[in-house]
Amino acid sequence: MLFAGAVLPSPRGGLGFCMMMERAKWLLIVLTWIGFAGSCAGQLKFDAVTREADASPEDTEISMRFTFSNPTDEAIQVKSIESTCGCIKASTDQQVYGPGEEGVLEALFSLGNFVGTIDKVVYLMTEKPHLERYELKVTVHIPQAVVIEPKVSRWMVGGAADEKIIDVKFVGSESMKVVEIVSTRPQFAFRSEEVEEGRHYRIALRPETTSESIMGALKIVTDSAIPKYQKQLAFFTVSRNHRSDAGSEQ
């Protein structure tokens, strides 16, 4: 029986409150574990999502491998593999990965005429119900084997038809010889000399006139055994505005 003026015990200090707090703590632990397990369900685990490689001037392709595993208790199926460039062909060593299985995705990068630091992305997609999209970045550092300076020789319309010098240097581990030079425009005369055999050639180029706009190139043929180095281009232009032909350097 309660009497007027009696003071009830504070719930915060009572046994009921302690039991309630204990249940809440365990409920929080269980919910956290469920959330973590749910976030990992159906996911492949990659050892690394970026790969970086240094190519030599003579390389025509570079292979990079991404290793991964299936840490879940269900099989995961690869749906498709895509890339941001047709220069990359990527594939996995199998299509379906069972629980605990490990796998490899190989990305084969065809270097073509790329020079400098090149970044590309490979996307791996898995099938439902484990629908995921993985983004894998590949970076390749490609040195120059052929240096042409300047890449574009320029004259202004109405300006002096003076002679300009083009230096062609072969800076890779293998030397190359220039065996032929052809101008796409007969209005430009040129002469060449070998500064250092297999390494450095110099071309003197001059337009017959600068009375009108014209664009063209010197086709430089080498004796390289590597196809991408067998033909090089040195551009030239006579224009009213030097900026108008900037795309020739691309």
Side-chain angles (χ1 to χ4, degrees), residues 162-179:
D162 54 349
E163 188 175 78
K164 296 187 182 296
I165 300 299
I166 303 170
D167 284 298
V168 181
K169 298 178 181 180
F170 303 113
V171 296
S173 60
E174 299 294 331
S175 62
M176 306 177 214
K177 290 185 177 181
V178 172
V179 296

Side-chain angles (χ1 to χ4, degrees), residues 52-53 87 137 177 240:
E52 193 166 350
C87 57
K137 181 181 178 182
K177 290 185 177 181
R240 300 183 186 280

Side-chain angles (χ1 to χ4, degrees), residues 147-149 165-170 175-179 181 191-204 220-223:
V147 177
I148 299 177
E149 297 177 336
I165 300 299
I166 303 170
D167 284 298
V168 181
K169 298 178 181 180
F170 303 113
S175 62
M176 306 177 214
K177 290 185 177 181
V178 172
V179 296
I181 302 174
R191 54 186 174 85
S192 64
E193 64 173 311
E194 184 178 67
V195 179
E196 181 183 353
E197 183 178 0
R199 288 297 180 183
H200 185 188
Y201 294 80
R202 182 165 290 151
I203 304 170
I220 304 168
V221 182
T222 76
D223 65 351

Side-chain angles (χ1 to χ4, degrees), residues 95-149:
Q95 198 73 16
V96 180
Y97 296 89
E101 277 195 301
E102 297 180 346
V104 176
L105 181 148
E106 182 178 16
L108 189 63
F109 196 136
S110 296
L111 303 182
N113 293 319
F114 287 118
V115 173
T117 297
I118 310 299
D119 296 315
K120 301 296 179 183
V121 178
V122 175
Y123 298 102
L124 182 147
M125 277 72 71
T126 52
E127 284 281 9
K128 295 179 181 179
H130 311 298
L131 186 61
E132 294 288 344
R133 184 173 186 255
Y134 304 88
E135 182 176 307
L136 311 171
K137 181 181 178 182
V138 298
T139 299
V140 183
H141 305 286
I142 309 169
Q144 283 185 297
V146 182
V147 177
I148 299 177
E149 297 177 336

Side-chain angles (χ1 to χ4, degrees), residues 3-249:
F3 297 94
V7 179
L8 292 173
S10 171
R12 185 175 297 277
L15 178 62
F17 178 78
C18 291
M19 293 179 65
M20 181 178 66
M21 292 299 295
E22 186 70 16
R23 290 194 189 99
K25 181 180 74 174
W26 282 105
L27 179 61
L28 179 61
I29 293 173
V30 170
L31 290 176
T32 301
W33 181 86
I34 291 174
F36 173 78
S39 66
C40 293
Q43 293 187 1
L44 296 175
K45 181 180 179 182
F46 281 83
D47 296 329
V49 294
T50 61
R51 283 286 182 263
E52 193 166 350
D54 294 315
S56 69
E58 290 75 27
D59 285 336
T60 58
E61 60 184 24
I62 290 286
S63 175
M64 283 169 280
R65 294 161 62 89
F66 294 86
T67 55
F68 58 88
S69 62
N70 176 4
T72 74
D73 57 1
E74 297 180 335
I76 298 178
Q77 181 176 348
V78 175
K79 179 181 180 181
S80 63
I81 301 174
E82 301 174 355
S83 73
T84 56
C85 179
C87 57
I88 296 180
K89 293 182 179 179
S91 61
T92 52
D93 55 346
Q94 59 191 58
Q95 198 73 16
V96 180
Y97 296 89
E101 277 195 301
E102 297 180 346
V104 176
L105 181 148
E106 182 178 16
L108 189 63
F109 196 136
S110 296
L111 303 182
N113 293 319
F114 287 118
V115 173
T117 297
I118 310 299
D119 296 315
K120 301 296 179 183
V121 178
V122 175
Y123 298 102
L124 182 147
M125 277 72 71
T126 52
E127 284 281 9
K128 295 179 181 179
H130 311 298
L131 186 61
E132 294 288 344
R133 184 173 186 255
Y134 304 88
E135 182 176 307
L136 311 171
K137 181 181 178 182
V138 298
T139 299
V140 183
H141 305 286
I142 309 169
Q144 283 185 297
V146 182
V147 177
I148 299 177
E149 297 177 336
K151 188 65 175 175
V152 181
S153 298
R154 309 175 191 273
W155 289 262
M156 291 290 292
V157 171
D162 54 349
E163 188 175 78
K164 296 187 182 296
I165 300 299
I166 303 170
D167 284 298
V168 181
K169 298 178 181 180
F170 303 113
V171 296
S173 60
E174 299 294 331
S175 62
M176 306 177 214
K177 290 185 177 181
V178 172
V179 296
E180 185 182 19
I181 302 174
V182 178
S183 175
T184 62
R185 298 288 187 176
Q187 299 94 323
F188 278 75
F190 66 88
R191 54 186 174 85
S192 64
E193 64 173 311
E194 184 178 67
V195 179
E196 181 183 353
E197 183 178 0
R199 288 297 180 183
H200 185 188
Y201 294 80
R202 182 165 290 151
I203 304 170
L205 180 66
R206 182 198 300 271
E208 292 180 353
T209 177
T210 61
S211 61
E212 59 182 3
S213 297
I214 189 171
M215 295 178 64
L218 295 178
K219 296 181 179 180
I220 304 168
V221 182
T222 76
D223 65 351
S224 174
I226 301 174
K228 68 178 180 178
Y229 300 135
Q230 291 172 356
K231 294 181 180 180
Q232 302 295 317
L233 293 174
F235 299 95
F236 54 77
T237 176
V238 178
S239 64
R240 300 183 186 280
N241 184 346
H242 280 178
R243 294 183 180 180
S244 65
D245 56 272
S248 298
E249 297 185 72

